[in-house]
Amino acid sequence: MESAEQIKAIVREKYGRLASLNEAEASSCCNSNVLAAIGGVFSEDYTTLPGYNPDADLNLGCGLPTQYAGIRPGDVVVDLGSGAGNDAFVARAETGAEGRVIGVDMTSEMIERAERNRARLGLANVEFRLGEIENLPVESATADVVISNCVLNLVPDKAKAYAEIYRILKPGGHFSISDIVTAGEIPPRLRAMAEMYAGCVAGAISKEEYLRVIESAGFTSVSIVREKQIVIPAELIGHLIAAVTPEEVETMQKSKAAIFSLTVYGEKART
């Protein structure tokens, strides 16, 4: 398995490439390979949500975190792994002109694309910052709400990521995060593939471990508000199966290996 810095470099390279594609190209397996194709399997329909902007939707999410975020007019919302701005713009529609939305992404190409989208929409109270989730460029006790969509699984140090979320939330603030978790044993060599890591599969951990990380960070009232199993079509990963031995496939089948999309809610205590 690659080091944390190697993993980040893989993610930057692949998401940077996606940021340079137009919407049709980004959703095409032929152009962006496994990453965008897997994203198309995971993604939810945003098109009916207020604030939705098609130029910002690269089909990279795995849930609708704003749906469960309880965003109120005037709230400060921080979107982690904001990409081209999709969730940030939906959050802006809920927090209104009197609120504020800060998007954070570690890929400069995504920041540039999000900023172009923001400028076209004329949104003065939305901004995008370059930075890593494990070391957020956001002051402590800034956010009323933190959202994120299919990004925390890409972070090598998830405990540090959730500690940072706790730090930037105001007392009494909360998060709504959609993410990918696993059940059963995914073959190690499949996990080690760069496309499967950047495609939100290889970096995912079990649901039980995921919830332990959140609770260990100090959050209360932690609950799963939505859960669904993700089925990746066999033809999509067919060319990857050659990298896995028959024994590994048998182990995966016996363990009932599966991938799930979760939306998790949690609160930071007021005192």
Side-chain angles (χ1 to χ4, degrees):
M1 176 60 72
E2 292 87 353
S3 69
E5 289 308 312
Q6 288 172 321
I7 288 170
K8 290 175 185 179
I10 289 169
V11 172
R12 282 193 184 95
E13 188 274 328
K14 294 190 176 294
Y15 280 83
R17 189 189 313 159
L18 273 181
S20 66
L21 301 177
N22 62 39
E23 185 179 0
E25 291 171 329
S27 60
S28 167
C29 183
C30 296
N31 284 294
S32 47
N33 208 342
V34 177
L35 176 55
I38 290 177
V41 174
F42 288 172
S43 62
E44 299 276 358
D45 182 14
Y46 270 78
T47 57
T48 62
L49 297 182
Y52 173 76
N53 183 268
D55 291 332
D57 186 4
L58 301 183
N59 294 314
L60 296 175
C62 58
L64 299 173
T66 55
Q67 186 175 8
Y68 305 96
I71 299 171
R72 299 168 299 182
D75 276 349
V76 176
V77 181
V78 176
D79 178 19
L80 305 181
S82 49
N86 194 26
D87 289 282
F89 299 139
V90 173
R92 163 58 176 76
E94 297 191 18
T95 195
E98 64 270 39
R100 183 181 172 205
V101 179
I102 302 168
V104 178
D105 202 283
M106 73 171 186
T107 307
S108 59
E109 293 90 343
M110 283 293 186
I111 293 291
E112 292 166 5
R113 181 162 181 163
E115 180 56 30
R116 289 196 300 271
N117 290 332
R118 184 209 63 78
R120 279 196 296 268
L121 295 170
L123 300 176
N125 62 333
V126 178
E127 63 175 298
F128 296 97
R129 301 178 183 178
L130 183 66
E132 297 183 359
I133 295 175
E134 294 143 306
N135 186 25
L136 288 170
V138 180
E139 293 183 358
S140 298
T142 291
D144 297 289
V145 183
V146 170
I147 60 172
S148 186
N149 198 346
C150 212
V151 174
L152 271 292
N153 57 77
L154 297 171
V155 177
D157 192 338
K158 293 170 179 58
K160 190 171 182 181
Y162 270 99
E164 279 289 273
I165 294 170
Y166 191 91
R167 178 185 66 80
I168 69 169
L169 276 169
K170 298 175 183 177
H174 61 271
F175 70 79
S176 176
I177 290 176
S178 297
D179 216 345
I180 297 296
V181 297
T182 61
E185 184 177 343
I186 295 177
R189 279 195 281 178
L190 195 58
R191 279 189 175 274
M193 297 192 69
E195 286 85 356
M196 296 303 282
Y197 198 100
C200 302
V201 175
I205 59 178
S206 72
K207 176 169 66 176
E208 294 74 18
E209 184 179 356
Y210 196 93
L211 294 176
R212 280 197 299 270
V213 168
I214 294 172
E215 291 170 349
S216 295
F219 289 103
T220 61
S221 301
V222 176
S223 62
I224 296 172
V225 296
R226 189 167 189 269
E227 177 177 357
K228 72 170 185 177
Q229 185 170 352
I230 303 293
V231 178
I232 300 178
E235 61 270 21
L236 179 58
I237 61 172
H239 72 286
L240 298 176
I241 297 300
V244 183
T245 67
E247 292 77 16
E248 287 173 321
V249 172
E250 184 179 0
T251 298
M252 182 169 62
Q253 291 172 336
K254 286 182 178 179
S255 70
K256 295 182 171 58
I259 301 167
F260 294 87
S261 166
L262 301 181
T263 299
V264 185
Y265 174 93
E267 299 175 353
K268 179 177 179 177
R270 292 188 179 276
T271 56

